[in-house]
Amino acid sequence: MNDQEFFIPTTTYDIYEAFMTHWNKLPELLKVMLDEPLGKVQGFLSDAFGAQRTHAEEQTRILRAENAQLREQLGAQGCQLAAISARCEQLARHFGLP
């Protein structure tokens, strides 16, 4: 990028290392956040967490639908297994097996 090196973290340790490299900037970041009008920070956080909440709610809805479908499939398979078991018992009795 413009003949400059840049770092892309690809592992947890890379992310940790990048975070620790910039740790000394945390007090400056906090100062800027506190110096800014609270409305800007609050709006930013509200937007960020609102998007996350919407995403989480959508994922929850999808997972609930998938779970309901899996429960239905398991119920059908349970009925099929019960029918197979009953038929096996009939065959065992027919042939005089214990």
Side-chain angles (χ1 to χ4, degrees), residues 76-88:
Q77 288 175 353
C79 290
Q80 290 172 347
L81 288 174
I84 291 169
S85 178
R87 185 65 179 147
C88 287

Side-chain angles (χ1 to χ4, degrees), residues 58-74:
E58 178 65 16
Q59 292 299 313
T60 300
R61 185 192 63 73
I62 291 169
L63 288 173
R64 284 183 178 158
E66 287 176 355
N67 284 342
Q69 185 179 12
L70 288 173
R71 280 193 296 274
E72 185 178 308
Q73 289 172 353
L74 286 173

Side-chain angles (χ1 to χ4, degrees), residues 20-52:
M20 293 310 290
T21 300
H22 299 289
W23 181 256
N24 61 348
K25 295 181 183 178
L26 185 61
E28 181 183 335
L29 176 63
L30 290 174
K31 182 182 180 307
V32 169
M33 286 175 62
L34 292 174
D35 287 346
E36 286 290 321
L38 188 58
K40 288 182 181 179
V41 174
Q42 189 175 13
F44 169 75
L45 293 175
S46 178
D47 290 346
F49 286 112
Q52 288 298 318

